[in-house]
Amino acid sequence: MKNRLLATLLALSAAGHSVAAAETKPAEKADAVKRHPLRGVVTSVDAERSTLMVKHEEIPGVMRAMTMAFKVDAKALAAVKKGDAITGLMSRQGKDWVLENVQPAAAKP
Ligand SMILES: [Cu+2]
């Protein structure tokens, strides 16, 4: 009787652990790269390096306003040109700053 109870408790605790692990893993993955909303203006496009130079507004707690290069995907590279106002999600990935979800932004009044 005692052994059976112990076995049940062990099984429950093991199950509890595996459920917890399954629940935390995706969250950890999503947190590995922190993305921050960015608004700015494209100052140049470098197709060879797949980068945009963007004069971006301050990203509170992350970066002051500045002009810097961001890696972008081919779609964004083809879609934007110098002078475009854009928004996107910026993140640090390895040694690169990356801009994703690049969208045209309405120019500020
Ligand atoms: Cu910056």
Side-chain angles (χ1 to χ4, degrees):
M1 226 23 186
K2 245 185 187 172
N3 281 343
R4 196 189 167 95
L5 179 62
L6 187 61
T8 305
L9 286 173
L10 285 172
L12 282 174
S13 111
H17 280 123
S18 65
V19 167
E23 279 171 0
T24 53
K25 260 183 191 164
E28 278 168 12
K29 226 176 190 179
D31 283 351
V33 174
K34 297 244 189 254
R35 291 175 169 82
H36 306 275
L38 170 147
R39 171 185 285 269
V41 174
V42 177
T43 62
S44 66
V45 178
D46 188 334
E48 263 178 41
R49 292 195 175 96
S50 297
T51 58
L52 303 178
M53 285 294 284
V54 179
K55 185 180 179 188
H56 68 76
E57 295 178 2
E58 183 189 1
I59 302 151
V62 181
M63 219 182 256
R64 64 187 164 81
M66 68 176 79
T67 302
M68 62 185 281
F70 290 96
K71 287 268 183 195
V72 294
D73 63 18
K75 189 178 154 219
L77 202 64
V80 304
K81 61 185 191 306
K82 183 179 173 179
D84 284 356
I86 56 163
T87 59
L89 287 175
M90 64 93 84
S91 57
R92 180 82 179 183
Q93 297 188 24
K95 62 178 173 47
D96 296 318
W97 288 98
V98 175
L99 197 57
E100 296 165 303
N101 280 28
V102 176
Q103 305 281 340
K108 277 200 158 178

